[in-house]
Amino acid sequence: MAADPAGRPLTETGPTEPAEPAGRSAAAREELERLLLDGPRRYTRRQVAELAGMPAERTQRLWRALGFADVADDDPAFTDADVTALARLSALIDSGFVDPLTEASIARAMGQTLSRLADWQTDLVAARLAEAGVGLGVDAGTDAVAAAVLRSTEALLPLMSELQDYVWRRHLAANAGRLVLSSGADRRELAVGFADLVGYTSRSRGMGGRELGVMVEDFEGLAADVIARYRGRVVKTVGDGVLFTCADAVDAVEIALRLPVEWSADDRPPLRVGAAYGPVLTRLGDVYSPVVNLASRLTSIARPSTVLVDRELARRLLGSPAYRVRPLRQVSVRGYDQLRPWLVRRREAGDVPGVAALEQLLDEIAHDVLRRGSDEPPA
C-alpha cells in the first residue's frame, strides 16, 4: 500500500489516522459516559420501554420532551438508570401525582431547566481545565485531556448533585406556605415585572464574545440579587431582559426602582422596568396572563432608567409616603388602544417649600383619575 511522506498509509481519500489515539479517545468517552449515566449503554428504545412497563411510543414522546434527539430502534443507547427513571415516572402517574395528560409538559419543563444547568456546568469544567493549561479544543484525544476531564467529573459530580438537591429542597421550603395554605389552584394575584436593557442589540454588535458574556453575567447576577432581596422570584432571563414576579406590590416596586439604580454605570446600557398587577396563571415554573403582556408593553414604552406600572399597581401604591405615582398620557401599543402608563418614582424626603403643596395637588389629581374609573384625563 502506498504511503505519504510521513509514512502513513494512503487511502483513496487521503492518509488514514493512527488507530491508537482514536481508541484512547473512545475509551475515555465511554468511561465518562459510564460515570455520568450510572452504567453502560445496553438497551434499545423498545427494550427500555418494555423493562419500564411503558409503551415504546410513550417513552419516545417523553424522551423528546426532555430535549433529547431520537435514537435508532436498534441503537443500545439506554442504561439501567433510564429504566429506573421511567419506572419512577410510571409510579408517579399511577399515584395520581402526575396527570398522564401533562407528563410531557412536566418532562419538557424539567428538560429545559436542567439542560441550561448542564450547559453552564460543562462550560465551568472546560474553563477550569483551560486555566490549568489543558486545552480541550486541541488534540482532545490525548491521555492528559482524558484524565483531566475524568478527574474533574469524578470530583464535581457528587458535589453538584448534592448541591442541586439542597437548592431544590430550599425552594420547596420557600413555597411551603403556599403549598399548605392554598387550595392547589394555579391562579394567583401577583405583580409581574420586566426589566430590559435599553439599546442592548446595537450595543452588543460592537462587543467581543467575552465582553458580552461578562455584561450578561453581571446583569443576570445583579437582577437575581435584587429580586431575591425583596422576596421576588426570577421567572426567566432572556439575554437583555428578566421577567420576575412578586406577591406584594410594594416589593415589586422596590425591585423595579432599585434595579436601574444599582445597574447604572458609564459602560453599561441603561435599564428600564414595566410592572403590572393582577390574576396570573402559574404553570411549570412559568407565568401566563394578560398581566404579563401588559408589563411587557409598559416596559417597551418606558424611558431609560424609569419605571412604568399599570392602573392596578398604581392603585395599590397611591397614597404611600414612599412613592410618587403619576398618570401619563394614554398611548397606543400592540394589544392596547388606550393604555395609560403610570410613572413611579421614589418620594424624596425634605422637599423645599412649595414643592410639597404641588406634590399634594398632583396626588389629588392621580386619585381623581383612579376614582373616576376611566383613563380619560381629568377636566
Side-chain angles (χ1 to χ4, degrees), residues 27-67:
R29 178 175 178 178
E30 182 177 345
E31 183 62 28
L32 186 60
E33 285 191 341
R34 282 174 178 265
L35 179 63
L36 293 173
L37 300 179
D38 200 19
R41 299 174 184 262
R42 62 175 72 188
Y43 305 116
T44 66
R45 183 171 63 86
R46 294 194 176 276
Q47 286 173 332
V48 79
E50 183 178 350
L51 289 168
M54 299 177 71
E57 294 76 13
R58 186 180 183 189
T59 62
Q60 184 179 48
R61 184 172 69 252
L62 291 172
W63 184 251
R64 291 171 178 170
L66 287 168

Side-chain angles (χ1 to χ4, degrees), residues 116-136:
R116 184 180 181 189
L117 181 62
D119 285 345
W120 168 75
Q121 290 168 345
T122 303
D123 291 343
L124 179 65
V125 173
R128 294 299 172 265
L129 291 173
E131 289 174 4
V134 182
L136 289 178

Side-chain angles (χ1 to χ4, degrees), residues 43 69 106 170 197-198 252 277 317 321 334 337-338 350 373 375:
Y43 305 116
I106 293 172
R170 258 295 178 178
L197 295 175
V198 182
Y277 192 97
L317 297 172
R334 184 161 58 93
D337 291 333
Q338 292 183 314
D375 276 340

Side-chain angles (χ1 to χ4, degrees), residues 102 178 182-190 233 278-289:
T102 63
R178 182 160 61 90
S182 73
S183 61
D186 50 8
R187 282 192 173 274
R188 304 172 60 197
E189 294 278 323
L190 291 173
R233 183 177 79 86
V280 175
L281 171 67
T282 60
R283 184 172 181 271
L284 300 176
D286 210 337
V287 290
Y288 306 88
S289 168

Side-chain angles (χ1 to χ4, degrees), residues 15-28:
T16 60
E17 292 297 325
E20 188 179 356
R24 289 200 303 267
S25 180

Side-chain angles (χ1 to χ4, degrees), residues 13 35 58 72 76 80 88 93 101 112 134-135 139 153 156 162 169 176 201 220 227 242 247 254 289 325:
T13 57
L35 179 63
R58 186 180 183 189
D80 288 318
R88 286 174 177 165
I93 294 170
L101 297 177
Q112 291 172 356
V134 182
D139 197 13
T153 305
L156 287 174
E162 292 171 8
R169 289 174 181 272
T201 302
E220 291 186 356
I227 291 167
V242 60
E254 277 300 318
S289 168
V325 185

Side-chain angles (χ1 to χ4, degrees), residues 155-216:
L156 287 174
L157 190 60
L159 296 175
M160 295 304 297
S161 180
E162 292 171 8
L163 181 60
Q164 286 164 201
D165 183 69
Y166 161 77
V167 174
W168 169 65
R169 289 174 181 272
R170 258 295 178 178
H171 277 293
L172 284 180
N175 288 326
R178 182 160 61 90
L179 277 173
V180 173
L181 299 177
S182 73
S183 61
D186 50 8
R187 282 192 173 274
R188 304 172 60 197
E189 294 278 323
L190 291 173
V192 177
F194 271 105
D196 174 61
L197 295 175
V198 182
Y200 170 83
T201 302
S202 59
R203 191 182 186 101
S204 62
R205 289 197 194 102
M207 301 175 73
R210 184 176 181 81
E211 185 184 5
L212 179 59
V214 168
M215 187 181 75
V216 170

